[in-house]
Amino acid sequence: MEDVKSGGSDGALVEARGVSFAYAEGGPEVVRGASLAVGRGRLAALVGANGSGKSTLVRLLAGLLKPADGEVLFGGVPLAAIEPRVRARRVAYVPQTVSTVFPFTALEVVLTGRSPYTTRFRFESARDVEAARAALRAVDAAHLESRPVTELSGGERQMVALARALAQEPECLLLDEPSAALDLKHRAGLIRHLRRLRDEQGMTALIITHDLMLLDPAFDSVFAMRRGAITAAGAPAEVLREDVLAGIYGDEHVRARRAFGHTFVWSEL
């Protein structure tokens, strides 16, 4: 399938235009000619098999990597032209894994999300502390405030990382498999909170996920990657179809059924 893009770029907050990237000069392209556009106040998902280039593409959108070809835009402006401190106030990125060596408390870690709003030699204000505590409450992790992160489980650390991103109060969240280490309650809670942020604050979010059954009807759009390219895009019900998913995952046993307003996806044993 050829690279596709959903909805054009009009009104897009975050956009990739023909982006390509390889980790080594002359090496294989991990992302090749990928284009996608996520509109303001929209909730989008990026799906695909392991190794399809999803994490690399999101790191390009976050400005952590520089594309070899193509460009990344934020609000219609090249991302590279936005001053890093300003960018940090507008875009928050949560990686797939969070490793912490030092025994900072959860609150101290979340407070680092306020750094784009503080000067170099100024301590956090009461406003910053309240924003951090509100972020912990939002992900149902207020009880972890005083716990050293080195003592937390993988799922608890992921909730703290999510809270840190929320404390930045960004326009856009870029999340790399944030629900991978979460239990059922917190996976669903995460999606509910992302919907509230979209509906009440106009937040834009792009989330990498393998939890396909959480996408319909919660998300506005789904982008699918295969071998470094965007090969399908559209509303969840359009992308979460057997014929599309079989191509994306290379699995002829994948099944999808829509009932009660939801799409159920599984692979037959």
Side-chain angles (χ1 to χ4, degrees):
M1 291 183 283
E2 295 183 357
D3 187 72
V4 299
K5 179 172 66 176
S6 173
S9 59
D10 292 344
L13 181 63
V14 59
E15 182 176 5
R17 292 182 178 175
V19 170
S20 297
F21 180 83
Y23 282 99
E25 186 174 351
E29 289 184 330
V30 180
V31 175
R32 54 182 186 85
S35 296
L36 62 77
V38 182
R40 294 177 183 273
R42 308 293 279 178
L43 184 54
L46 182 61
V47 304
N50 294 332
S52 59
K54 302 184 301 298
S55 294
T56 300
L57 178 56
V58 167
R59 294 182 72 195
L60 287 162
L61 294 173
L64 301 175
L65 298 174
K66 183 179 179 180
D69 291 300
E71 64 178 344
V72 174
L73 305 174
F74 190 87
V77 177
L79 188 65
I82 301 176
E83 195 269 323
R85 188 175 179 85
V86 175
R87 186 192 308 167
R89 294 181 180 182
R90 303 185 69 185
V91 183
Y93 165 74
V94 179
Q96 186 175 136
T97 57
V98 181
S99 58
T100 306
V101 177
F102 300 104
F104 297 117
T105 66
L107 180 61
E108 288 171 333
V109 170
V110 176
L111 272 170
T112 63
R114 300 297 299 168
S115 59
Y117 301 94
T118 61
T119 59
R120 186 175 180 181
F121 299 107
R122 185 175 73 83
F123 290 108
E124 295 86 358
S125 67
R127 165 75 178 85
D128 295 322
V129 173
E130 176 50 35
R133 284 180 169 148
L136 281 168
R137 290 194 297 270
V139 298
D140 194 27
H143 61 289
L144 302 176
E145 176 179 319
S146 301
R147 294 270 305 279
V149 290
T150 49
E151 298 178 4
L152 302 181
S153 69
E156 289 171 332
R157 289 188 190 189
Q158 195 66 19
M159 288 190 288
V160 171
L162 287 167
R164 181 189 183 279
L166 293 176
Q168 287 180 234
E169 299 180 334
E171 294 176 53
C172 179
L173 281 171
L174 300 173
L175 309 173
D176 190 347
E177 293 192 50
S179 63
L182 301 183
D183 58 31
L184 179 62
K185 171 187 174 182
H186 289 101
R187 283 187 214 169
L190 168 65
I191 301 304
R192 284 193 291 267
H193 186 64
L194 290 176
R195 291 181 70 176
R196 284 196 299 271
L197 288 172
R198 176 196 63 188
D199 297 341
E200 298 174 8
Q201 300 179 27
M203 174 81 76
T204 301
L206 176 64
I207 174 175
I208 295 175
T209 184
H210 291 294
D211 290 330
L212 301 185
M213 288 193 291
L214 292 177
L215 304 184
D216 186 15
F219 282 66
D220 299 300
S221 57
V222 177
F223 299 93
M225 282 193 86
R226 185 170 186 265
R227 297 178 181 174
I230 302 294
T231 57
E238 298 171 354
V239 177
L240 302 180
R241 302 197 328 256
E242 288 182 7
D243 58 333
V244 177
L245 294 175
I248 294 166
Y249 291 99
D251 181 5
E252 63 182 14
H253 302 291
V254 69
R255 298 290 180 265
R257 298 289 185 273
R258 185 167 171 79
F260 310 110
H262 296 262
T263 300
F264 298 88
V265 181
W266 72 97
S267 183
E268 291 187 336
L269 300 178

